[in-house]
Amino acid sequence: MRIVGRYAVYDEIGRGGMAAVHLGRLLGHVGFSRTVAIKMLRPQYAKDPSFVSMFLDEARVAARIAHPNVVHTLDVEATQGELFVVMEYVHGESLSRLMRNARNEKTPIPPPIAASLLSGVLLGLHAAHEAKSVGGEPLDLVHRDVSPDNILVGVDGLAKVADFGVAKARGRLQTTRTGELKGKVAYMAPEQIEGRAVRATDMFAVAIVLWEMLAGRRFFQGTDELTRMRNLLSGSIESPRVHAPGMPEALEAVVMRGLERDPNRRFATALEMATALERAVTPASAIDVAQWLETAAAAALERRSVLLARMEESSHDAFSQPVLSDPEPNESVEEESGDPTRPVPGLAADSQFANRESRIPNVSARPSPRRGRLGILLLVAAIVAVLWAARKKEDAPTAPIASIASVAPAPIEAPSAAPADADVPVESAVPSAAPPHTKGRGRTTRPAAKPEKHDCSPPYTIGSDGLRHYKPECW
């Protein structure tokens, strides 16, 4: 396992001429991750501009196709000297391995299963043929490499078309050189060998795949490509009923029409061929296909499930902790997030993921949640203090009742029913019945003056702090 950019690259699960497909995990922020398939360009081709352009063309073209029966392209990465395309991971098995297992076990694939799988393939190809550019112009896309290797059957019962690496499309930077063939000879149409490729070329390849699924054997016999090409151009094309006598005649007609050497005599569109196929034999449901797959590829699916479980567990343990962490009191947030090569928090030094040459960039730092809460609390406390001081100044409290009761000469504030300037004897003032002052009024009622030789009217002064200070001589 190694980390490249924001992806963890695991075991290889497929290999092509110029690239290899690996299992991978998208390592997002705050513990988010996702299982993906990573198609990596081989190092010897990554330095060749023509191969790089072809590789990027594939990603750009495939990204224009959105259909459940086409493997989705999710991302393109060019980092640390690596160039790879990130695709959705299809948990299942390739049709080539399923067909090979069926031939080895001499158990032909049931026609309803074959019809369901290839009907989905045709619908995906129709979406590719109808794809448009960003400006809305038709891409005139032709896959040119439809084969069992590039058809994936998922545990959900759906078949998906993959690998548009050699697809012909308008606007592609890389075009086929003169005399150069694109695709596999065993599934090529006659016009493709002659250097032409049209929509019907893909239907010819689908018809070969359908023939092999029903007959339980290879369509072109021969040990070398030259022999296969001769058979394709001039050899006789026999009916699949020769090897599968119980096949419905309507299904045989669909196969033989798809194998017409003249493209104009084949189906006009992939959608038309899919419709004819479903009318010839009732396709199996997705549930039936999923159950058939679990039986036909039980061992492979079990091995893949164990691998996925280990992969997801290891990536979860190392990268599930949030990237955002509280800085130390003497550490600025800017310093924490400024280094894009800072190790991921929680990644042990001896972990299998601790690759010295690979780091995951951190997200933009944010203020610490604890600092934010502390700031809010301080602001609230300051507001409360200001309001309390203002209320204290406006409506200053009198001395405690016990203190007033213990000082006989001190005047008591008049009840609210008496005039503000009325003299009220001390005996008539009951602390529990009349408050020392009335809240909510615009002014404070002053106590009634008591004739004394000292100036005790009132017997206190109000200081700059807003509090009453009683005069010692009035005690």
Side-chain angles (χ1 to χ4, degrees):
M1 196 286 310
R2 58 196 178 99
I3 298 176
V4 183
R6 56 197 183 117
Y7 295 94
V9 184
Y10 291 85
D11 297 353
E12 181 179 313
I13 57 175
R15 178 175 297 188
M18 55 185 285
V21 180
H22 296 257
L23 280 175
R25 294 283 288 178
L26 166 63
L27 305 174
H29 299 307
V30 295
F32 174 80
S33 61
R34 174 182 178 177
T35 301
V36 294
I38 297 178
K39 185 175 182 179
M40 307 194 74
L41 188 63
R42 297 184 184 278
Q44 61 267 32
Y45 299 116
K47 298 179 182 180
D48 189 328
S50 61
F51 282 102
V52 171
S53 297
M54 185 186 305
F55 196 69
L56 295 178
D57 266 352
E58 174 189 356
R60 181 175 58 86
V61 169
R64 300 303 306 168
I65 309 169
H67 194 274
N69 296 107
V70 175
V71 176
H72 296 163
T73 298
L74 305 177
D75 194 8
V76 177
E77 281 282 345
T79 181
Q80 302 178 13
E82 300 278 3
L83 179 62
F84 55 89
V85 175
V86 182
M87 304 172 293
E88 70 167 313
Y89 168 69
V90 179
H91 186 55
E93 187 60 278
S94 67
L95 184 58
S96 61
R97 293 180 181 176
L98 294 172
M99 293 172 61
R100 184 165 57 250
N101 293 341
R103 287 195 300 268
N104 294 337
E105 297 175 4
K106 300 186 183 304
T107 55
I109 299 175
I113 298 293
S116 178
L117 294 178
L118 293 191
S119 174
V121 169
L122 288 166
L123 293 177
L125 288 173
H126 181 71
H129 295 162
E130 297 293 327
K132 294 180 173 56
S133 66
V134 178
E137 300 177 354
L139 289 176
D140 294 335
L141 191 152
V142 181
H143 191 286
R144 295 197 299 182
D145 196 17
V146 177
S147 66
D149 289 327
N150 293 330
I151 298 174
L152 304 178
V153 183
V155 294
D156 56 358
L158 294 181
K160 293 178 180 284
V161 183
D163 198 352
F164 285 80
V166 299
K168 180 185 76 69
R170 178 180 299 176
R172 287 201 64 165
L173 300 177
Q174 292 295 315
T175 57
T176 303
R177 301 184 182 95
T178 303
E180 183 180 14
L181 287 177
K182 295 290 186 178
K184 300 178 181 65
V185 174
Y187 299 92
M188 281 187 180
E191 69 274 8
Q192 192 172 353
I193 294 179
E194 297 171 356
R196 296 183 297 113
V198 293
R199 290 187 178 188
T201 302
D202 289 340
M203 273 85 87
F204 189 92
V206 173
I208 294 179
V209 176
L210 180 58
W211 192 98
E212 294 183 344
M213 293 177 72
L214 298 173
R217 65 194 302 269
R218 297 299 297 267
F219 179 70
F220 287 120
Q221 301 299 316
T223 58
D224 59 279
E225 292 186 351
L226 182 59
T227 302
R228 293 175 181 175
M229 293 174 63
R230 288 175 177 172
N231 292 335
L232 174 64
L233 294 175
S234 58
S236 61
I237 298 178
E238 63 182 5
S239 168
R241 285 174 61 87
V242 174
H243 306 281
M247 180 187 307
E249 293 183 1
L251 182 58
E252 177 192 18
V254 172
V255 176
M256 298 308 293
R257 182 178 175 184
L259 292 176
E260 289 284 351
R261 284 192 170 91
D262 184 0
N264 296 322
R265 300 183 63 180
R266 300 174 203 154
F267 296 96
T269 65
L271 178 60
E272 181 184 351
M273 185 174 180
T275 303
L277 180 59
E278 293 186 0
R279 288 176 178 173
V281 57
T282 303
S285 66
I287 296 177
D288 293 335
V289 174
Q291 292 176 348
W292 169 80
L293 178 64
E294 291 179 358
T295 303
L301 292 177
E302 179 64 23
R303 289 193 301 269
R304 189 73 59 80
S305 297
V306 172
L307 179 61
L308 287 175
R310 292 176 180 174
M311 181 184 72
E312 293 177 0
E313 182 180 359
S314 61
S315 64
H316 175 77
D317 292 341
F319 297 95
S320 60
Q321 297 189 15
V323 179
L324 297 177
S325 59
D326 293 337
E328 296 296 330
N330 59 347
E331 183 180 6
S332 64
V333 176
E334 290 78 5
E335 293 177 351
E336 180 181 1
S337 62
D339 184 10
T341 62
R342 188 173 60 86
V344 178
L347 186 60
D350 57 347
S351 170
Q352 60 172 332
F353 296 91
N355 189 330
R356 293 182 179 179
E357 298 179 357
S358 301
R359 294 292 185 267
I360 299 178
N362 194 5
V363 296
S364 301
R366 300 178 182 176
S368 169
R370 287 184 293 182
R371 288 188 177 182
R373 290 193 293 268
L374 180 59
I376 294 175
L377 291 177
L378 291 176
L379 178 61
V380 172
I383 295 175
V384 171
V386 172
L387 294 177
W388 180 81
R391 184 62 177 271
K392 196 79 174 179
K393 184 175 181 181
E394 176 186 0
D395 195 10
T398 60
I401 296 176
S403 301
I404 297 176
S406 63
V407 182
I412 303 300
E413 186 178 350
S416 58
D421 55 351
D423 293 335
V424 180
V426 176
E427 302 81 70
S428 64
V430 181
S432 60
H437 65 281
T438 304
K439 296 183 180 181
R441 295 188 178 184
R443 63 186 180 88
T444 303
T445 304
R446 300 294 181 88
K450 183 177 181 180
E452 291 284 343
K453 60 181 179 179
H454 300 291
D455 184 12
C456 294
S457 180
Y460 56 83
T461 61
I462 299 178
S464 60
D465 55 0
L467 302 178
R468 294 181 181 182
H469 301 275
Y470 287 87
K471 301 176 182 178
E473 62 271 18
C474 297
W475 286 21

